[in-house]
C-alpha cells in the first residue's frame, strides 16, 4: 500500500483520483498547495501557517480524514516548519533525507517523527535530473535494499522510495519498478508499511 503525497490543488480538482487511492487502501498525506508553490525561509510565519493549514484542510475535505503525514513540495522547509506541522497535528514529516531510521524531531510542541526519504533513489532525482537509465535505477534500488536489509538485522532500517507516476509509470519503465519491488518484498522479515503504521509503531513501541 503506497503512501500518497497529494497537494491541495490535486485533492480539490481530481476527486476520482482521491477515491481511487482510498479504494486501494492508500494513505494520503499533505503535499503543500502545488509543486510550483513551496515553503521557503523567505515566508513570514503567518504566511507559512496559512500555507500549511490550507494544505491540511484540503486533504481532510477530500478524504474525510486529517492527514497524519507531510511531504513538502521539493522538500521545502523553513526553520519553523517542524514546529508548525506539530501544532497542526501532523505526526510525521518526510522532508529530511539525513538518516536510514525514523527519529523524533526535537523542539516541537507535539510528537513529530522524521521518516527520511531515500532521496538518492528518488526516480526524478535519478532519472530526470541525473539521466541515469531506468535499468540502472532498478539495480541501485535492489543494491541499496540489500545493504539496508543486512544492516537491519540488529536494528531496523527504513527505505522510503519517492516515486512519481508520470515518470516511473511509463510503459517502458514500469517493469523495472516491478523488478525492484519483487526483490524488496521477497524476504519474510520486510515490513511493508505506510507512514502512519510506522509512526504508530514508533510512538507505541514502549
Amino acid at each position: 500500500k503506497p503512501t500518497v503525497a497529494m497537494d491541495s490543488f490535486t485533492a480539490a480538482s481530481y476527486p476520482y483520483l482521491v477515491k481511487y487511492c482510498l479504494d486501494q487502501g492508500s494513505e494520503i498525506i499533505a503535499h503543500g498547495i502545488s509543486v510550483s508553490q513551496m515553503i521557503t525561509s523567505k515566508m513570514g510565519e503567518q504566511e507559512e501557517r496559512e500555507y500549511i493549514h490550507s494544505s491540511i484542510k484540503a486533504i481532510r475535505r477530500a478524504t474525510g480524514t486529517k492527514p497524519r503525514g507531510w511531504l513538502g513540495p521539493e522538500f521545502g522547509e523553513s526553520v519553523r516548519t517542524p514546529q508548525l506541522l506539530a501544532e497542526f497535528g501532523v505526526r510525521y514529516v518526510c522532508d529530511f533525507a539525513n538518516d536510514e531510521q525514523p527519529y523524533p524531531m526535537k523542539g516541537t510542541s507535539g510528537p513529530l517523527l522524521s521518516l527520511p526519504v531515500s532521496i538518492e533513489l528518488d526516480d526524478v532525482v535519478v532519472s530526470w535530473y541525473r539521466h541515469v537509465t531506468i535499468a540502472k535505477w532498478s539495480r541501485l534500488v535492489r543494491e541499496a535494499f540489500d545493504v539496508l536489509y543486512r544492516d537491519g538485522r540488529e536494528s531496523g532500517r527504513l527505505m522510503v522510495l519517492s516515486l512519481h507516476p508520470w515518470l516511473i509509470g511509463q510503459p517502458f519503465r514500469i517493469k523495472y519498478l516491478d523488478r525492484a519491488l519483487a526483490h524488496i518484498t521477497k524476504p519474510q522479515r520486510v515490513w511493508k508499511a505506510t507512514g502512519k503504521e510506522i509512526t504508530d509503531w514508533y510512538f507505541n513501541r514502549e
Side-chain angles (χ1 to χ4, degrees):
K1 295 181 294 184
T3 299
V4 178
M6 186 175 292
D7 60 69
S8 59
F9 176 81
T10 301
S13 303
Y14 301 98
Y16 66 89
L17 181 59
V18 175
K19 182 179 184 301
Y20 178 83
C21 292
L22 294 177
D23 288 347
Q24 302 303 309
S26 305
E27 177 188 0
I28 297 179
I29 66 174
H31 189 41
I33 294 176
S34 73
V35 73
S36 62
Q37 299 182 55
M38 60 182 287
I39 294 175
T40 74
S41 59
K42 295 181 180 180
M43 276 187 173
E45 181 174 345
Q46 186 58 34
E47 182 183 4
E48 185 173 353
R49 280 183 181 277
E50 292 173 357
Y51 180 99
I52 292 173
H53 177 67
S54 65
S55 177
I56 292 174
K57 184 179 179 180
I59 298 301
R60 185 171 188 171
R61 183 185 300 117
T63 66
T65 304
K66 186 176 181 179
R68 299 284 297 277
W70 175 274
L71 173 61
E74 303 296 327
F75 303 94
E77 289 264 347
S78 77
V79 294
R80 294 181 299 266
T81 305
Q83 171 65 28
L84 295 178
L85 291 174
E87 288 181 14
F88 281 109
V90 172
R91 297 295 300 280
Y92 70 90
V93 59
C94 301
D95 290 343
F96 300 90
N98 59 342
D99 211 327
E100 295 164 350
Q101 292 181 310
Y103 62 88
M105 303 291 289
K106 297 181 178 179
T108 58
S109 58
L112 183 67
L113 194 67
S114 175
L115 297 184
V117 169
S118 305
I119 195 168
E120 293 293 326
L121 298 175
D122 181 303
D123 57 350
V124 170
V125 172
V126 176
S127 297
W128 195 258
Y129 294 137
R130 297 180 179 172
H131 307 292
V132 173
T133 66
I134 198 65
K136 186 175 182 181
W137 171 85
S138 182
R139 178 171 60 82
L140 292 173
V141 170
R142 285 175 277 150
E143 290 179 353
F145 169 79
D146 289 342
V147 174
L148 292 171
Y149 187 72
R150 181 196 66 202
D151 293 348
R153 290 174 183 172
E154 296 184 3
S155 179
R157 291 295 187 269
L158 180 70
M159 189 176 194
V160 180
L161 286 179
S162 180
L163 305 173
H164 299 75
W166 60 268
L167 190 150
I168 198 67
Q170 295 295 328
F172 59 92
R173 293 191 180 110
I174 198 68
K175 70 177 182 180
Y176 296 102
L177 173 61
D178 289 340
R179 188 175 300 171
L181 293 179
H183 182 81
I184 290 171
T185 58
K186 186 176 181 180
Q188 293 184 348
R189 296 180 63 199
V190 173
W191 184 25
K192 301 174 286 293
T194 64
K196 178 183 181 300
E197 290 170 336
I198 295 171
T199 304
D200 288 345
W201 168 82
Y202 187 93
F203 286 125
N204 297 319
R205 70 192 191 283
E206 296 178 354

